[in-house]
Amino acid sequence: METLTLTGHTKAEPETGRIFCPSLAGLTAPQADLAFVLPGLDHNQALVDAALQGEWAAILTGDPFDTTSALFARLHQKGYRGVTNWPSSILLDGDIGAAMAADGIAPEQEYARLAQARSFGFETMGFILTLDHGRAAIAAGLDHLVLHPGLFETDSPDGRSLVQGALSRVLDTLKDEAPGLRLSLYTSPWHEARLNLSALNADGAICLEAGHGG
């Protein structure tokens, strides 16, 4: 099982197995889920300004201040081999999700932009939350997906079993529908302590390197 580290921390020298996501610097695991809507730095510009931090760049695909083609060209010049969509709109729902979608910021648009990255020679990973997200990502041409466990409020054994069961159904269904698909799970020490996600049948893991307290 391949494990990649998702991190906002910079290093003096690039390391393999890292996905650099500058918006996550100092955030705990629960806070990282809110990175898409938290005010902060110019995420994509920070990716470009930093020295090469690993093999992968986590891009904010809904950034209105940067054209996707220009961003991909700059990241290619930096030496990244892959891109993924994090922070992501996959966790937005209700009125906020609808408002974002009306402005063209939704998971389907993220997957389309990741598909565009392939023309620049990048490998891609698409973050998903639901079965519908997975199907949309596959339809866009993505073949490596990262399943997020979602937001949850219970640490009870019954609650953990429900979440694990729901995640397993998404994993199994997508593998049945798209043979050859690679499916990784998003996790962190915080998630593992509550959900034991490593017990699920995934092809890999994207592990958050969280800040103090998470």
Side-chain angles (χ1 to χ4, degrees), residues 19 37 46 76 117 137 173:
I19 306 171
V37 295
H76 189 270
T173 300

Side-chain angles (χ1 to χ4, degrees), residues 30-114:
Q31 290 169 344
D33 289 336
L34 303 175
F36 190 82
V37 295
L38 284 173
L41 76 170
D42 184 341
H43 179 95
N44 289 340
Q45 189 60 47
L47 279 172
V48 173
D49 290 344
L52 180 68
Q53 289 295 314
E55 300 168 295
W56 291 79
I59 64 172
L60 182 63
T61 60
D63 186 349
F65 302 109
D66 199 351
T67 65
T68 306
S69 295
L71 174 62
F72 289 156
R74 292 196 291 269
L75 292 178
H76 189 270
Q77 290 173 350
K78 282 284 183 177
Y80 287 99
R81 73 174 177 91
V83 295
T84 189
N85 59 319
W86 195 261
S88 172
S89 64
I90 60 170
L91 296 172
L92 302 181
D93 59 11
D95 292 341
I96 295 178
M100 289 288 192
D103 289 334
I105 300 173
E108 292 78 9
Q109 281 70 39
E110 295 183 28
Y111 306 141
R113 292 182 180 115
L114 289 181

Side-chain angles (χ1 to χ4, degrees), residues 7-198:
T7 181
H9 304 297
T10 57
K11 298 278 188 178
E13 297 292 335
E15 294 181 358
T16 60
R18 296 180 97 231
I19 306 171
F20 182 49
C21 184
S23 289
L24 301 184
L27 299 185
T28 65
Q31 290 169 344
D33 289 336
L34 303 175
F36 190 82
V37 295
L38 284 173
L41 76 170
D42 184 341
H43 179 95
N44 289 340
Q45 189 60 47
L47 279 172
V48 173
D49 290 344
L52 180 68
Q53 289 295 314
E55 300 168 295
W56 291 79
I59 64 172
L60 182 63
T61 60
D63 186 349
F65 302 109
D66 199 351
T67 65
T68 306
S69 295
L71 174 62
F72 289 156
R74 292 196 291 269
L75 292 178
H76 189 270
Q77 290 173 350
K78 282 284 183 177
Y80 287 99
R81 73 174 177 91
V83 295
T84 189
N85 59 319
W86 195 261
S88 172
S89 64
I90 60 170
L91 296 172
L92 302 181
D93 59 11
D95 292 341
I96 295 178
M100 289 288 192
D103 289 334
I105 300 173
E108 292 78 9
Q109 281 70 39
E110 295 183 28
Y111 306 141
R113 292 182 180 115
L114 289 181
Q116 183 184 353
R118 290 175 174 269
S119 65
F120 288 81
F122 287 112
E123 298 177 36
T124 58
M125 286 187 291
F127 274 75
I128 67 170
L129 179 68
T130 67
L131 185 57
D132 285 344
H133 290 163
R135 288 168 172 161
I138 292 167
L142 306 185
D143 57 11
H144 186 181
L145 307 183
V146 183
L147 179 60
H148 193 290
L151 306 177
F152 56 93
E153 299 179 355
T154 179
D155 293 336
S156 71
D158 287 346
R160 180 173 63 187
S161 294
L162 286 173
V163 174
Q164 288 177 330
L167 294 172
S168 291
R169 286 190 291 274
V170 173
L171 290 170
D172 293 342
T173 300
L174 289 176
K175 285 184 176 182
D176 287 342
E177 293 181 355
L181 179 70
R182 292 176 61 197
L183 276 164
S184 298
L185 273 169
Y186 171 83
T187 189
S188 70
W190 184 86
H191 286 89
E192 286 299 319
R194 290 158 178 81
L195 294 175
N196 190 27
L197 296 177
S198 59

